[in-house]
Amino acid sequence: MKKNSSRNSKSHSGIEIGVYTFGDVIQDPLTGRVISPRQRLEEIVAAAKLADEVGLDVFGIGEHHRLDFAVSATPVVLGAIASVTEQIRLTSATTVLGSSDPVLVFEDYATLDLLSNGRAEIIAGRGAFVESFPLFGYDQADYEKLFAEKIDLLLQLNDKERITWNGRLRKPLNDAEIAPRPAQQALPIWVGVGGSPESAERAGTLGANMALAILGGEYAKFKPLVEIYREAGGKAGHNPQTLQIAVTGHGYVAKTSQQARDEFYPYYTNYCKHFMRRSGRESIITLGDFEQLAAPNHGLFVGSPQEITEKILHQHELFGHNRFIAQIDIGGLPFSQVAAAIELLAAEVAPAIRRATTHIHQ
């Protein structure tokens, strides 16, 4: 694959387009095969390298602490990716901040930023999976309080080389040196938001970017969260131009609408069924359900390049967002299909989106 030398992280305006992965390791529903965690990690690095070569803007990796995911040490994997990429931005997706030490998180990503020449970012979230809380000795009853306190600390660490800080759930810091400092003036920090108005308001009040997860349903229903975020940011005195929004969600693109649906349906339903079963619930997604989830006004991004482009642009009319990143490689989807979708996203969707939104985000 020849590198797209005409593009760098600042060579175009418009919405940024990228992909992210949680690195799930589950059985392929068509072949019955389960790849090893080592192969899964190798394929994640290969996917990121390809995304960089074909000119996508962002690659993200989620954090989980269980045997059906290959990634628990997200900064380590992103460091490996930094060594084989040149321009693509590298982010967590997400860092479960409530069960992490903000100082260590900042040091890890500041180090990644230095190694990647200023390409590191953090999406910090409360976490839909909570196995990390008992694993690292945190009380799950403090779930909300832990995140609120730690996001405040993380943002302060990003601003200052030395910090004096006092909270209720972590020991205080007294004129502590925070090293290393990132290559960027400050790490871009996003707050991951699902459907919670309180989370959107917190992100705006803090002046952090907001990564809005739209995993299903009519996406117009998420517009109030965007409005809450921007209103809270304005009330807190933050510059509206600095309040960026990303839309994240499951997606898959193929040459035709039918091909995309035929290829992705068994893996999407496998993914949902597996994780619903792990949580003690059953999930049966019929083909009719799937078609509805992928409808033009719903949040599942599955279709031809034209369909995906139209959906992103329609959402942009509602949200005015700055970034779209899709989780493609779910449910045991073979790497060959993941790679083909990445190439198509870069070759046809991203250029169309950039042309249509450059005048807005200049």
Side-chain angles (χ1 to χ4, degrees), residues 19 64 139:
V19 292
H64 295 85
D139 189 340

Side-chain angles (χ1 to χ4, degrees), residues 116-345:
S116 65
N117 193 26
R119 293 186 281 137
E121 303 188 8
I122 299 170
I123 300 177
R126 293 179 298 172
F129 293 75
V130 294
E131 68 278 350
S132 59
F133 286 82
L135 187 64
F136 296 118
Y138 291 97
D139 189 340
Q140 197 173 321
D142 294 327
Y143 178 82
E144 295 285 350
K145 294 177 183 177
L146 282 165
F147 182 77
E149 182 170 292
K150 290 184 176 187
I151 188 64
D152 172 71
L153 175 54
L154 181 62
L155 291 171
Q156 290 192 45
L157 296 168
N158 203 22
D159 286 340
K160 305 171 186 175
E161 293 184 356
R162 307 182 75 99
I163 185 171
T164 297
W165 177 91
N166 190 42
R168 292 184 297 171
L169 299 171
R170 187 199 189 279
K171 289 186 177 181
L173 296 168
N174 183 26
D175 195 31
E177 294 183 27
I178 308 302
R181 304 310 298 175
Q184 300 174 85
Q185 183 175 357
L187 293 173
I189 295 178
W190 304 70
V191 171
V193 174
S196 167
E198 293 78 15
S199 295
E201 183 176 11
R202 177 191 290 125
T205 300
L206 293 171
N209 300 327
M210 180 173 73
L212 182 61
I214 301 180
L215 302 180
E218 295 184 30
Y219 51 72
K221 294 180 180 178
F222 289 82
K223 187 176 181 180
L225 295 178
V226 173
E227 294 170 345
I228 289 169
Y229 168 69
R230 290 200 169 110
E231 182 179 355
K235 285 183 178 178
H238 299 295
N239 182 348
Q241 298 301 317
T242 67
L243 298 175
Q244 298 194 54
I245 297 171
V247 169
T248 75
H250 298 140
Y252 186 72
V253 59
K255 291 181 179 180
T256 68
S257 174
Q258 194 61 53
Q259 180 187 352
R261 284 160 168 75
D262 289 346
E263 291 180 352
F264 196 62
Y265 172 67
Y267 295 97
Y268 178 77
T269 56
N270 187 46
Y271 182 83
C272 295
K273 183 178 181 180
H274 176 87
F275 292 109
M276 287 297 100
R277 188 187 301 122
R278 280 290 304 256
S279 64
R281 294 173 287 172
E282 286 298 321
S283 174
I284 300 175
I285 299 176
T286 67
L287 184 57
D289 295 333
F290 180 75
E291 291 288 353
Q292 181 62 35
L293 289 167
N297 61 336
H298 281 62
L300 183 60
F301 293 84
V302 177
S304 66
Q306 182 177 351
E307 283 180 298
I308 301 302
T309 299
E310 289 174 354
K311 183 172 283 191
I312 294 172
L313 290 177
H314 188 215
Q315 287 195 351
H316 186 262
E317 292 177 4
L318 292 173
F319 308 139
H321 55 299
N322 310 81
R323 174 180 289 182
F324 168 77
I325 52 176
Q327 184 184 1
I328 293 171
D329 63 337
I330 64 175
L333 187 71
F335 179 72
S336 59
Q337 291 174 234
V338 174
I342 287 173
E343 291 182 330
L344 205 52
L345 187 66

Side-chain angles (χ1 to χ4, degrees), residues 105-115 120 122 179-183 187:
V105 168
F106 179 81
E107 290 180 345
D108 283 346
Y109 282 87
T111 302
L112 173 65
D113 202 52
L114 294 170
L115 290 171
I122 299 170
R181 304 310 298 175
L187 293 173

